[in-house]
Amino acid sequence: MQNLLAASINGEPVANMAAAVNLEERGLHYGDGLFETMLLRQGNVAAFERHMQRLAVGCERLAIAQQDGNAIEQEIKTLVRQTSQGIVKLIVTRGGGGRGYRGVAGATSNRMLMLYPYTPEIAPAPLTVRWCTTRLARNPLLAGVKHLNRLEQVLAQREWQDASIGEGLMLDLEDELVCATAGNLFVATEGALCTPDLRFSGVRGTMRARVLDVARELGYAVEECALRPQQLLDATEVFVTNAVRGIRPVTALEDRRWPIGALTRRLANALELW
Amino acid sequence: MQNLLAASINGEPVANMAAAVNLEERGLHYGDGLFETMLLRQGNVAAFERHMQRLAVGCERLAIAQQDGNAIEQEIKTLVRQTSQGIVKLIVTRGGGGRGYRGVAGATSNRMLMLYPYTPEIAPAPLTVRWCTTRLARNPLLAGVKHLNRLEQVLAQREWQDASIGEGLMLDLEDELVCATAGNLFVATEGALCTPDLRFSGVRGTMRARVLDVARELGYAVEECALRPQQLLDATEVFVTNAVRGIRPVTALEDRRWPIGALTRRLANALELW
């Protein structure tokens, strides 16, 4: 477990991490909020604007009062001080507290910033994955949003203890392949890139968006699709993305092996990840 | 909004509600926990054993370390002191904190107890309901469990502001009628009682269980079924249950009207609610 280094809530530094959050916080009672997990590298938050854009979309989707990205940027600077690398986690909740699902009309949202230690990877980290038996529910209302209702991911990660397995692949209840437990999934076949369209579940990752953009810039055929497990098995390259770990080439799933392919390398290179 | 009167976390009284919860609490980060909302009446928690049984089942389902019902009972007594009526809310989370979905193996779960003011109803409270457009996702893994992932219910209650409408009825994504936003649903037709079976979503309410038990004791035909909206419209009596509000007869839905029926009255009477 990583050690929380510093934190602030609504701009106020947190002195005592063990007693910091309002007991009526709706994030606790209902998972009524959103989060961003951001990579701090060379003193800067990678793709900060994309994180803020996704947060704004999430607030819009869940009717949570918008946060000010500039204020968050300043607070992150104060939070990280001389720290040049790590993870900055942001939680934004509906605010207003109180028992009852409805909440208070017009409430100002709360923001919590946390700094965790982390050393960014600068070389490809080959990934062995497994199938998760935990399935994702389908709900277009929440699909794509990085909200705080994450029991499915918690239960999925608890399926295995084998440290040699770095990720689990998750299907939805209609047998579509959606994502890894903490990342998006890409498959490549003959130079064409495909990633699940996330119309029913999953999170629209910021690294996923960066990969899609750069792949298009590089002239690759890119498709967001309803992905089936067989397409993964038939693919010539597979990789998992997230904002912190970047691009991780999937090299093994049960008996299936993949090389770290040319397309994967080219994308990682174009994004200055390896 | 109701005012939080008193609280304890893991048995320790909370002095400052505004800064009480660990910032790394998994209930906040992932909704990784369970809750119970209990009615305090005449100095006692109604159906306390049922709440503890459901909590134990929830812990088992989510692989959260079990809590000690006796310790909780004692803490509630300390919490409520001379208070004879109100609502006692219990949140139990996985514990162990930390960034990352997986959590810490073998962590002790956390418990948070909160006392809110509430005056129990002692007469039937006729309920006007509406259809919610927010749908429930299907996931057998979480169905029935009173977990902290409640964004669907939050969004459903935010659909209306009209104070004359007391509840919203929720369908799942396959058009089955599952529940009210904060209660279970029963329909009666010719003396036979039916409630959704909750195999894909919804919460197994303690009042739902009490109603099922007493209806069977009274000799009524009782069925847990896949309920369709038309069955509701065709029913002769409809009511909504929850642990705090008891049995609320549904008397209006759009143009449809129902009386407070004999079966509903008999159940409420047998449970000493009205």
Side-chain angles (χ1 to χ4, degrees), chain A residues 144-173:
Chain A
V145 177
K146 201 169 172 79
H147 56 67
L148 297 175
N149 280 199
R150 292 293 156 204
L151 272 170
E152 291 169 333
Q153 286 75 18
V154 170
L155 294 175
Q157 283 204 359
R158 294 181 70 84
E159 287 182 31
W160 79 97
Q161 296 298 326
D162 180 352
S164 70
I165 293 174
E167 256 295 7
L169 303 183
M170 298 189 75
L171 304 171
D172 71 12
L173 281 152

PDB file of all heavy atoms in Angstrom, chain A residues 144-173:
ATOM      1  N   GLY A 144     -18.672   5.140 -19.166  1.00  0.00           N
ATOM      2  CA  GLY A 144     -17.644   6.083 -19.560  1.00  0.00           C
ATOM      3  C   GLY A 144     -17.218   7.024 -18.460  1.00  0.00           C
ATOM      4  O   GLY A 144     -16.123   7.583 -18.505  1.00  0.00           O
ATOM      5  N   VAL A 145     -18.085   7.212 -17.453  1.00  0.00           N
ATOM      6  CA  VAL A 145     -17.822   8.181 -16.389  1.00  0.00           C
ATOM      7  C   VAL A 145     -16.907   7.563 -15.325  1.00  0.00           C
ATOM      8  O   VAL A 145     -17.102   6.422 -14.924  1.00  0.00           O
ATOM      9  CB  VAL A 145     -19.159   8.633 -15.741  1.00  0.00           C
ATOM     10  CG1 VAL A 145     -18.903   9.597 -14.585  1.00  0.00           C
ATOM     11  CG2 VAL A 145     -20.067   9.264 -16.790  1.00  0.00           C
ATOM     12  N   LYS A 146     -15.928   8.330 -14.866  1.00  0.00           N
ATOM     13  CA  LYS A 146     -15.017   7.842 -13.824  1.00  0.00           C
ATOM     14  C   LYS A 146     -15.612   8.204 -12.463  1.00  0.00           C
ATOM     15  O   LYS A 146     -15.113   9.070 -11.738  1.00  0.00           O
ATOM     16  CB  LYS A 146     -13.621   8.448 -14.000  1.00  0.00           C
ATOM     17  CG  LYS A 146     -12.526   7.641 -13.301  1.00  0.00           C
ATOM     18  CD  LYS A 146     -11.133   8.113 -13.716  1.00  0.00           C
ATOM     19  CE  LYS A 146     -10.056   7.453 -12.899  1.00  0.00           C
ATOM     20  NZ  LYS A 146      -9.739   6.083 -13.313  1.00  0.00           N
ATOM     21  N   HIS A 147     -16.697   7.512 -12.126  1.00  0.00           N
ATOM     22  CA  HIS A 147     -17.431   7.788 -10.886  1.00  0.00           C
ATOM     23  C   HIS A 147     -16.903   6.921  -9.749  1.00  0.00           C
ATOM     24  O   HIS A 147     -16.036   6.061  -9.946  1.00  0.00           O
ATOM     25  CB  HIS A 147     -18.928   7.582 -11.117  1.00  0.00           C
ATOM     26  CG  HIS A 147     -19.257   6.213 -11.637  1.00  0.00           C
ATOM     27  ND1 HIS A 147     -19.095   5.079 -10.887  1.00  0.00           N
ATOM     28  CD2 HIS A 147     -19.714   5.797 -12.853  1.00  0.00           C
ATOM     29  CE1 HIS A 147     -19.455   4.040 -11.599  1.00  0.00           C
ATOM     30  NE2 HIS A 147     -19.821   4.445 -12.803  1.00  0.00           N
ATOM     31  N   LEU A 148     -17.447   7.157  -8.586  1.00  0.00           N
ATOM     32  CA  LEU A 148     -16.938   6.493  -7.375  1.00  0.00           C
ATOM     33  C   LEU A 148     -17.632   5.166  -7.058  1.00  0.00           C
ATOM     34  O   LEU A 148     -17.341   4.569  -6.027  1.00  0.00           O
ATOM     35  CB  LEU A 148     -17.086   7.428  -6.163  1.00  0.00           C
ATOM     36  CG  LEU A 148     -16.282   8.734  -6.205  1.00  0.00           C
ATOM     37  CD1 LEU A 148     -16.634   9.603  -4.989  1.00  0.00           C
ATOM     38  CD2 LEU A 148     -14.784   8.465  -6.219  1.00  0.00           C
ATOM     39  N   ASN A 149     -18.500   4.698  -7.923  1.00  0.00           N
ATOM     40  CA  ASN A 149     -19.166   3.393  -7.688  1.00  0.00           C
ATOM     41  C   ASN A 149     -18.315   2.307  -8.305  1.00  0.00           C
ATOM     42  O   ASN A 149     -18.492   1.922  -9.469  1.00  0.00           O
ATOM     43  CB  ASN A 149     -20.572   3.392  -8.322  1.00  0.00           C
ATOM     44  CG  ASN A 149     -21.632   4.109  -7.487  1.00  0.00           C
ATOM     45  OD1 ASN A 149     -22.818   3.898  -7.678  1.00  0.00           O
ATOM     46  ND2 ASN A 149     -21.199   4.962  -6.568  1.00  0.00           N
ATOM     47  N   ARG A 150     -17.392   1.761  -7.549  1.00  0.00           N
ATOM     48  CA  ARG A 150     -16.355   0.887  -8.117  1.00  0.00           C
ATOM     49  C   ARG A 150     -16.305  -0.498  -7.503  1.00  0.00           C
ATOM     50  O   ARG A 150     -15.259  -1.156  -7.522  1.00  0.00           O
ATOM     51  CB  ARG A 150     -14.993   1.582  -7.995  1.00  0.00           C
ATOM     52  CG  ARG A 150     -14.873   2.807  -8.894  1.00  0.00           C
ATOM     53  CD  ARG A 150     -14.876   2.429 -10.360  1.00  0.00           C
ATOM     54  NE  ARG A 150     -15.315   3.527 -11.224  1.00  0.00           N
ATOM     55  CZ  ARG A 150     -15.842   3.365 -12.421  1.00  0.00           C
ATOM     56  NH1 ARG A 150     -16.007   2.151 -12.915  1.00  0.00           N
ATOM     57  NH2 ARG A 150     -16.234   4.397 -13.130  1.00  0.00           N
ATOM     58  N   LEU A 151     -17.429  -0.968  -6.974  1.00  0.00           N
ATOM     59  CA  LEU A 151     -17.419  -2.296  -6.365  1.00  0.00           C
ATOM     60  C   LEU A 151     -17.072  -3.397  -7.360  1.00  0.00           C
ATOM     61  O   LEU A 151     -16.416  -4.380  -6.993  1.00  0.00           O
ATOM     62  CB  LEU A 151     -18.778  -2.597  -5.722  1.00  0.00           C
ATOM     63  CG  LEU A 151     -18.920  -2.140  -4.278  1.00  0.00           C
ATOM     64  CD1 LEU A 151     -20.362  -2.265  -3.823  1.00  0.00           C
ATOM     65  CD2 LEU A 151     -17.988  -2.944  -3.367  1.00  0.00           C
ATOM     66  N   GLU A 152     -17.495  -3.246  -8.603  1.00  0.00           N
ATOM     67  CA  GLU A 152     -17.188  -4.286  -9.588  1.00  0.00           C
ATOM     68  C   GLU A 152     -15.676  -4.429  -9.765  1.00  0.00           C
ATOM     69  O   GLU A 152     -15.152  -5.542  -9.836  1.00  0.00           O
ATOM     70  CB  GLU A 152     -17.852  -3.964 -10.933  1.00  0.00           C
ATOM     71  CG  GLU A 152     -19.371  -4.092 -10.875  1.00  0.00           C
ATOM     72  CD  GLU A 152     -20.065  -3.530 -12.097  1.00  0.00           C
ATOM     73  OE1 GLU A 152     -19.512  -2.604 -12.749  1.00  0.00           O
ATOM     74  OE2 GLU A 152     -21.174  -3.988 -12.408  1.00  0.00           O
ATOM     75  N   GLN A 153     -14.994  -3.300  -9.835  1.00  0.00           N
ATOM     76  CA  GLN A 153     -13.534  -3.347 -10.008  1.00  0.00           C
ATOM     77  C   GLN A 153     -12.851  -3.893  -8.758  1.00  0.00           C
ATOM     78  O   GLN A 153     -11.878  -4.639  -8.856  1.00  0.00           O
ATOM     79  CB  GLN A 153     -12.995  -1.951 -10.340  1.00  0.00           C
ATOM     80  CG  GLN A 153     -13.275  -1.474 -11.765  1.00  0.00           C
ATOM     81  CD  GLN A 153     -14.713  -1.059 -11.984  1.00  0.00           C
ATOM     82  OE1 GLN A 153     -15.469  -0.790 -11.050  1.00  0.00           O
ATOM     83  NE2 GLN A 153     -15.127  -1.008 -13.242  1.00  0.00           N
ATOM     84  N   VAL A 154     -13.361  -3.506  -7.588  1.00  0.00           N
ATOM     85  CA  VAL A 154     -12.798  -4.023  -6.333  1.00  0.00           C
ATOM     86  C   VAL A 154     -12.919  -5.547  -6.294  1.00  0.00           C
ATOM     87  O   VAL A 154     -11.945  -6.261  -6.014  1.00  0.00           O
ATOM     88  CB  VAL A 154     -13.517  -3.389  -5.120  1.00  0.00           C
ATOM     89  CG1 VAL A 154     -13.120  -4.094  -3.823  1.00  0.00           C
ATOM     90  CG2 VAL A 154     -13.205  -1.896  -5.030  1.00  0.00           C
ATOM     91  N   LEU A 155     -14.112  -6.037  -6.604  1.00  0.00           N
ATOM     92  CA  LEU A 155     -14.325  -7.490  -6.544  1.00  0.00           C
ATOM     93  C   LEU A 155     -13.514  -8.206  -7.613  1.00  0.00           C
ATOM     94  O   LEU A 155     -12.983  -9.300  -7.377  1.00  0.00           O
ATOM     95  CB  LEU A 155     -15.820  -7.814  -6.682  1.00  0.00           C
ATOM     96  CG  LEU A 155     -16.678  -7.313  -5.511  1.00  0.00           C
ATOM     97  CD1 LEU A 155     -18.152  -7.575  -5.781  1.00  0.00           C
ATOM     98  CD2 LEU A 155     -16.257  -7.955  -4.191  1.00  0.00           C
ATOM     99  N   ALA A 156     -13.372  -7.594  -8.771  1.00  0.00           N
ATOM    100  CA  ALA A 156     -12.586  -8.216  -9.846  1.00  0.00           C
ATOM    101  C   ALA A 156     -11.121  -8.354  -9.433  1.00  0.00           C
ATOM    102  O   ALA A 156     -10.502  -9.401  -9.634  1.00  0.00           O
ATOM    103  CB  ALA A 156     -12.714  -7.401 -11.139  1.00  0.00           C
ATOM    104  N   GLN A 157     -10.566  -7.308  -8.838  1.00  0.00           N
ATOM    105  CA  GLN A 157      -9.140  -7.386  -8.462  1.00  0.00           C
ATOM    106  C   GLN A 157      -8.915  -8.374  -7.326  1.00  0.00           C
ATOM    107  O   GLN A 157      -7.805  -8.887  -7.160  1.00  0.00           O
ATOM    108  CB  GLN A 157      -8.597  -6.007  -8.074  1.00  0.00           C
ATOM    109  CG  GLN A 157      -8.311  -5.135  -9.283  1.00  0.00           C
ATOM    110  CD  GLN A 157      -7.285  -4.044  -9.011  1.00  0.00           C
ATOM    111  OE1 GLN A 157      -6.779  -3.899  -7.919  1.00  0.00           O
ATOM    112  NE2 GLN A 157      -6.974  -3.274 -10.055  1.00  0.00           N
ATOM    113  N   ARG A 158      -9.949  -8.631  -6.556  1.00  0.00           N
ATOM    114  CA  ARG A 158      -9.795  -9.572  -5.446  1.00  0.00           C
ATOM    115  C   ARG A 158      -9.836 -11.031  -5.912  1.00  0.00           C
ATOM    116  O   ARG A 158      -9.654 -11.942  -5.103  1.00  0.00           O
ATOM    117  CB  ARG A 158     -10.864  -9.319  -4.388  1.00  0.00           C
ATOM    118  CG  ARG A 158     -10.680  -7.968  -3.710  1.00  0.00           C
ATOM    119  CD  ARG A 158     -11.727  -7.718  -2.655  1.00  0.00           C
ATOM    120  NE  ARG A 158     -11.516  -8.584  -1.499  1.00  0.00           N
ATOM    121  CZ  ARG A 158     -10.673  -8.314  -0.514  1.00  0.00           C
ATOM    122  NH1 ARG A 158      -9.943  -7.229  -0.541  1.00  0.00           N
ATOM    123  NH2 ARG A 158     -10.550  -9.146   0.489  1.00  0.00           N
ATOM    124  N   GLU A 159     -10.057 -11.244  -7.194  1.00  0.00           N
ATOM    125  CA  GLU A 159     -10.147 -12.621  -7.690  1.00  0.00           C
ATOM    126  C   GLU A 159      -8.807 -13.353  -7.695  1.00  0.00           C
ATOM    127  O   GLU A 159      -8.789 -14.570  -7.695  1.00  0.00           O
ATOM    128  CB  GLU A 159     -10.709 -12.637  -9.112  1.00  0.00           C
ATOM    129  CG  GLU A 159     -12.179 -12.336  -9.186  1.00  0.00           C
ATOM    130  CD  GLU A 159     -12.649 -12.426 -10.632  1.00  0.00           C
ATOM    131  OE1 GLU A 159     -12.088 -13.213 -11.416  1.00  0.00           O
ATOM    132  OE2 GLU A 159     -13.568 -11.673 -10.986  1.00  0.00           O
ATOM    133  N   TRP A 160      -7.720 -12.600  -7.787  1.00  0.00           N
ATOM    134  CA  TRP A 160      -6.422 -13.276  -7.857  1.00  0.00           C
ATOM    135  C   TRP A 160      -5.415 -12.651  -6.909  1.00  0.00           C
ATOM    136  O   TRP A 160      -5.489 -11.474  -6.587  1.00  0.00           O
ATOM    137  CB  TRP A 160      -5.884 -13.300  -9.296  1.00  0.00           C
ATOM    138  CG  TRP A 160      -5.253 -12.027  -9.773  1.00  0.00           C
ATOM    139  CD1 TRP A 160      -3.924 -11.735  -9.782  1.00  0.00           C
ATOM    140  CD2 TRP A 160      -5.908 -10.870 -10.340  1.00  0.00           C
ATOM    141  NE1 TRP A 160      -3.704 -10.485 -10.308  1.00  0.00           N
ATOM    142  CE2 TRP A 160      -4.904  -9.925 -10.659  1.00  0.00           C
ATOM    143  CE3 TRP A 160      -7.246 -10.541 -10.615  1.00  0.00           C
ATOM    144  CZ2 TRP A 160      -5.189  -8.681 -11.226  1.00  0.00           C
ATOM    145  CZ3 TRP A 160      -7.527  -9.299 -11.181  1.00  0.00           C
ATOM    146  CH2 TRP A 160      -6.504  -8.396 -11.477  1.00  0.00           C
ATOM    147  N   GLN A 161      -4.473 -13.493  -6.446  1.00  0.00           N
ATOM    148  CA  GLN A 161      -3.410 -13.030  -5.558  1.00  0.00           C
ATOM    149  C   GLN A 161      -2.040 -13.188  -6.209  1.00  0.00           C
ATOM    150  O   GLN A 161      -1.056 -12.620  -5.730  1.00  0.00           O
ATOM    151  CB  GLN A 161      -3.434 -13.825  -4.247  1.00  0.00           C
ATOM    152  CG  GLN A 161      -4.696 -13.629  -3.420  1.00  0.00           C
ATOM    153  CD  GLN A 161      -4.913 -12.196  -2.968  1.00  0.00           C
ATOM    154  OE1 GLN A 161      -3.957 -11.484  -2.694  1.00  0.00           O
ATOM    155  NE2 GLN A 161      -6.161 -11.772  -2.928  1.00  0.00           N
ATOM    156  N   ASP A 162      -1.987 -13.982  -7.282  1.00  0.00           N
ATOM    157  CA  ASP A 162      -0.733 -14.274  -7.967  1.00  0.00           C
ATOM    158  C   ASP A 162      -0.091 -12.972  -8.480  1.00  0.00           C
ATOM    159  O   ASP A 162      -0.614 -12.331  -9.385  1.00  0.00           O
ATOM    160  CB  ASP A 162      -1.051 -15.224  -9.134  1.00  0.00           C
ATOM    161  CG  ASP A 162       0.183 -15.602  -9.930  1.00  0.00           C
ATOM    162  OD1 ASP A 162       1.267 -15.025  -9.699  1.00  0.00           O
ATOM    163  OD2 ASP A 162       0.049 -16.478 -10.801  1.00  0.00           O
ATOM    164  N   ALA A 163       1.048 -12.608  -7.896  1.00  0.00           N
ATOM    165  CA  ALA A 163       1.669 -11.316  -8.222  1.00  0.00           C
ATOM    166  C   ALA A 163       2.216 -11.277  -9.649  1.00  0.00           C
ATOM    167  O   ALA A 163       2.509 -10.198 -10.177  1.00  0.00           O
ATOM    168  CB  ALA A 163       2.795 -11.013  -7.235  1.00  0.00           C
ATOM    169  N   SER A 164       2.351 -12.436 -10.276  1.00  0.00           N
ATOM    170  CA  SER A 164       2.849 -12.450 -11.657  1.00  0.00           C
ATOM    171  C   SER A 164       1.771 -12.009 -12.640  1.00  0.00           C
ATOM    172  O   SER A 164       2.062 -11.725 -13.807  1.00  0.00           O
ATOM    173  CB  SER A 164       3.348 -13.849 -12.023  1.00  0.00           C
ATOM    174  OG  SER A 164       2.262 -14.740 -12.143  1.00  0.00           O
ATOM    175  N   ILE A 165       0.528 -11.959 -12.183  1.00  0.00           N
ATOM    176  CA  ILE A 165      -0.569 -11.496 -13.036  1.00  0.00           C
ATOM    177  C   ILE A 165      -0.847 -10.038 -12.716  1.00  0.00           C
ATOM    178  O   ILE A 165      -1.184  -9.691 -11.577  1.00  0.00           O
ATOM    179  CB  ILE A 165      -1.822 -12.364 -12.841  1.00  0.00           C
ATOM    180  CG1 ILE A 165      -1.516 -13.772 -13.374  1.00  0.00           C
ATOM    181  CG2 ILE A 165      -3.035 -11.756 -13.522  1.00  0.00           C
ATOM    182  CD1 ILE A 165      -2.598 -14.775 -13.130  1.00  0.00           C
ATOM    183  N   GLY A 166      -0.680  -9.182 -13.726  1.00  0.00           N
ATOM    184  CA  GLY A 166      -0.730  -7.745 -13.479  1.00  0.00           C
ATOM    185  C   GLY A 166      -2.085  -7.111 -13.694  1.00  0.00           C
ATOM    186  O   GLY A 166      -2.352  -6.021 -13.198  1.00  0.00           O
ATOM    187  N   GLU A 167      -2.925  -7.782 -14.446  1.00  0.00           N
ATOM    188  CA  GLU A 167      -4.246  -7.210 -14.704  1.00  0.00           C
ATOM    189  C   GLU A 167      -5.257  -8.318 -14.993  1.00  0.00           C
ATOM    190  O   GLU A 167      -4.880  -9.442 -15.325  1.00  0.00           O
ATOM    191  CB  GLU A 167      -4.214  -6.234 -15.906  1.00  0.00           C
ATOM    192  CG  GLU A 167      -4.242  -4.761 -15.527  1.00  0.00           C
ATOM    193  CD  GLU A 167      -5.550  -4.327 -14.854  1.00  0.00           C
ATOM    194  OE1 GLU A 167      -6.407  -5.184 -14.544  1.00  0.00           O
ATOM    195  OE2 GLU A 167      -5.705  -3.113 -14.629  1.00  0.00           O
ATOM    196  N   GLY A 168      -6.526  -7.961 -14.846  1.00  0.00           N
ATOM    197  CA  GLY A 168      -7.616  -8.859 -15.196  1.00  0.00           C
ATOM    198  C   GLY A 168      -8.479  -8.209 -16.261  1.00  0.00           C
ATOM    199  O   GLY A 168      -8.713  -6.999 -16.209  1.00  0.00           O
ATOM    200  N   LEU A 169      -8.919  -9.003 -17.230  1.00  0.00           N
ATOM    201  CA  LEU A 169      -9.776  -8.487 -18.292  1.00  0.00           C
ATOM    202  C   LEU A 169     -11.234  -8.721 -17.918  1.00  0.00           C
ATOM    203  O   LEU A 169     -11.600  -9.791 -17.441  1.00  0.00           O
ATOM    204  CB  LEU A 169      -9.458  -9.181 -19.612  1.00  0.00           C
ATOM    205  CG  LEU A 169      -7.995  -9.074 -20.080  1.00  0.00           C
ATOM    206  CD1 LEU A 169      -7.834  -9.756 -21.442  1.00  0.00           C
ATOM    207  CD2 LEU A 169      -7.549  -7.620 -20.148  1.00  0.00           C
ATOM    208  N   MET A 170     -12.046  -7.699 -18.140  1.00  0.00           N
ATOM    209  CA  MET A 170     -13.439  -7.755 -17.698  1.00  0.00           C
ATOM    210  C   MET A 170     -14.417  -7.754 -18.862  1.00  0.00           C
ATOM    211  O   MET A 170     -14.345  -6.909 -19.758  1.00  0.00           O
ATOM    212  CB  MET A 170     -13.735  -6.575 -16.755  1.00  0.00           C
ATOM    213  CG  MET A 170     -12.882  -6.597 -15.491  1.00  0.00           C
ATOM    214  SD  MET A 170     -13.407  -5.367 -14.252  1.00  0.00           S
ATOM    215  CE  MET A 170     -14.912  -6.168 -13.608  1.00  0.00           C
ATOM    216  N   LEU A 171     -15.331  -8.693 -18.812  1.00  0.00           N
ATOM    217  CA  LEU A 171     -16.440  -8.762 -19.754  1.00  0.00           C
ATOM    218  C   LEU A 171     -17.669  -8.116 -19.107  1.00  0.00           C
ATOM    219  O   LEU A 171     -17.780  -8.088 -17.889  1.00  0.00           O
ATOM    220  CB  LEU A 171     -16.784 -10.223 -20.074  1.00  0.00           C
ATOM    221  CG  LEU A 171     -15.671 -11.110 -20.619  1.00  0.00           C
ATOM    222  CD1 LEU A 171     -16.138 -12.569 -20.652  1.00  0.00           C
ATOM    223  CD2 LEU A 171     -15.273 -10.664 -22.024  1.00  0.00           C
ATOM    224  N   ASP A 172     -18.589  -7.655 -19.941  1.00  0.00           N
ATOM    225  CA  ASP A 172     -19.865  -7.251 -19.368  1.00  0.00           C
ATOM    226  C   ASP A 172     -20.809  -8.459 -19.364  1.00  0.00           C
ATOM    227  O   ASP A 172     -20.415  -9.567 -19.752  1.00  0.00           O
ATOM    228  CB  ASP A 172     -20.447  -6.021 -20.072  1.00  0.00           C
ATOM    229  CG  ASP A 172     -20.960  -6.302 -21.473  1.00  0.00           C
ATOM    230  OD1 ASP A 172     -21.080  -7.479 -21.853  1.00  0.00           O
ATOM    231  OD2 ASP A 172     -21.233  -5.325 -22.200  1.00  0.00           O
ATOM    232  N   LEU A 173     -22.013  -8.257 -18.917  1.00  0.00           N
ATOM    233  CA  LEU A 173     -22.924  -9.398 -18.749  1.00  0.00           C
ATOM    234  C   LEU A 173     -23.438  -9.937 -20.076  1.00  0.00           C
ATOM    235  O   LEU A 173     -24.107 -10.967 -20.108  1.00  0.00           O
ATOM    236  CB  LEU A 173     -24.071  -9.019 -17.811  1.00  0.00           C
ATOM    237  CG  LEU A 173     -23.619  -9.065 -16.340  1.00  0.00           C
ATOM    238  CD1 LEU A 173     -24.415  -8.112 -15.477  1.00  0.00           C
ATOM    239  CD2 LEU A 173     -23.718 -10.488 -15.796  1.00  0.00           C
TER     240      LEU A 173
END
